[in-house]
Amino acid sequence: PKASGSSAPTTAAPETVEATPQAIDHIADDRSPIHNALLGMLVDTAPQLVVLQDMVDGLPDEEVKHVGDMRIPLALFNAYLNEADVWSRQLVQELSEWVLTSHKPVPHVCEHLAHSLAGSSAAVGMGGLASMARGIEHAIARVEQRTARQDEANALHHAAEVMRQELHQFAAGICYPLNYSLLCKLAAIVENVPLDTLAPFYSPSAPQAQPTGVEKKNVEGLATPTEPAALKTAAADAASAASKPPATDPTVGMAETA
């Protein structure tokens, strides 16, 4: 199948590549109707990673959380887990109920929850999670303006579930690369491109990215997410190092991603 107004290759797009604007050209070139939407979903966390490095410099190792190649102050890690656990669970719950009656408007709180997850994920340097959350936010904003098709509702719900699963892995110290295959579906929702005609442009040479923080031989075993309790366990272990309680308002302390 072909995307509207363009000819696309028949080979499926790779599931994951590095989350950079340059990678978009491997997935959807500028002839694709979803190209600009994809670019608008990417969250650049490079400046925040520099800030995080400054924050951990001089801290004892027991006050630093290692996630892949990243080093995050344990207090910030703790606050993020507490906030993101609540918001992601609520987002999945809201969308799981809405997907059964998707002819009705999507709950407006879903857009706010996705925005908060994008900001908080960016604050801890998680570009993949932040970009997925922003993609959900943008897609929800678009279907608020029209009636969502059933496959669009299913894709939004699935994206929220995947994001929560990857949050569980983050709690275990594992950093997943961005799932561009799923992000393409969110971009298609934004551009009102039927999902069953979507065939993103990409280069077969696009580099595959592996999860960090885990040996390559164990990657296959990560298909099953850790138990939801892992979020609370990790947060409890970090509680003694927390300098302040997590914000109760989703807009407090979040890095702006819009």
Side-chain angles (χ1 to χ4, degrees):
K2 298 181 180 180
S4 175
S6 59
S7 58
T10 57
T11 310
E15 287 296 314
T16 55
V17 296
E18 292 296 338
T20 63
Q22 291 75 21
I24 289 294
D25 291 332
H26 290 294
I27 303 298
D29 70 17
D30 57 11
R31 293 173 294 165
S32 168
I34 66 171
H35 180 267
N36 289 338
L38 280 172
L39 284 177
M41 292 173 180
L42 286 185
V43 177
D44 181 13
T45 57
Q48 181 64 11
L49 290 174
V50 175
V51 173
L52 290 172
Q53 183 60 50
D54 290 340
M55 292 174 66
V56 299
D57 283 348
L59 288 178
D61 194 58
E62 61 269 19
E63 294 183 17
V64 177
K65 178 66 179 181
H66 296 264
V67 181
D69 297 328
M70 295 189 301
R71 298 167 66 220
I72 306 169
L74 200 53
L76 179 61
F77 178 79
N78 174 57
Y80 171 71
L81 287 181
N82 278 292
E83 292 171 333
D85 182 30
V86 174
W87 297 337
S88 64
R89 181 172 62 248
Q90 185 178 354
L91 179 62
V92 170
Q93 180 61 36
E94 292 283 352
L95 290 177
S96 67
E97 295 175 0
W98 170 71
V99 78
L100 301 176
T101 56
S102 58
H103 60 281
K104 297 181 179 180
V106 61
H108 190 61
V109 69
C110 292
E111 185 179 355
H112 291 301
L113 290 167
H115 179 80
S116 297
L117 283 164
S120 60
S121 298
V124 294
M126 289 295 295
L129 277 171
S131 297
M132 186 63 67
R134 179 186 270 182
I136 294 172
E137 177 191 358
H138 288 188
I140 288 174
R142 184 51 57 94
V143 298
E144 284 181 332
Q145 303 169 14
R146 59 176 173 81
T147 301
R149 294 182 286 271
Q150 187 59 52
D151 59 346
E152 294 177 323
N154 293 339
L156 274 167
H157 180 227
H158 177 59
E161 287 187 319
V162 168
M163 186 170 59
R164 181 157 173 80
Q165 290 170 0
E166 293 181 2
L167 183 61
H168 297 160
Q169 301 294 355
F170 177 77
I174 300 166
C175 179
Y176 263 84
L178 179 57
N179 186 324
Y180 270 93
S181 178
L182 187 50
L183 202 69
C184 282
K185 293 183 179 181
L186 298 176
I189 293 173
V190 170
E191 299 295 349
N192 201 16
V193 174
L195 301 189
D196 59 0
T197 66
L198 183 64
F201 286 94
Y202 86 106
S203 166
S205 62
Q208 292 280 0
Q210 296 289 348
T212 57
V214 62
E215 292 184 17
K216 187 174 181 179
K217 64 182 180 181
N218 293 330
V219 168
E220 292 183 359
L222 296 179
T224 302
T226 57
E227 292 298 320
L231 289 171
K232 290 184 172 58
T233 300
D237 291 341
S240 61
S243 60
K244 59 181 179 179
T248 56
D249 182 345
T251 63
V252 175
M254 298 297 98
E256 184 58 44
T257 64

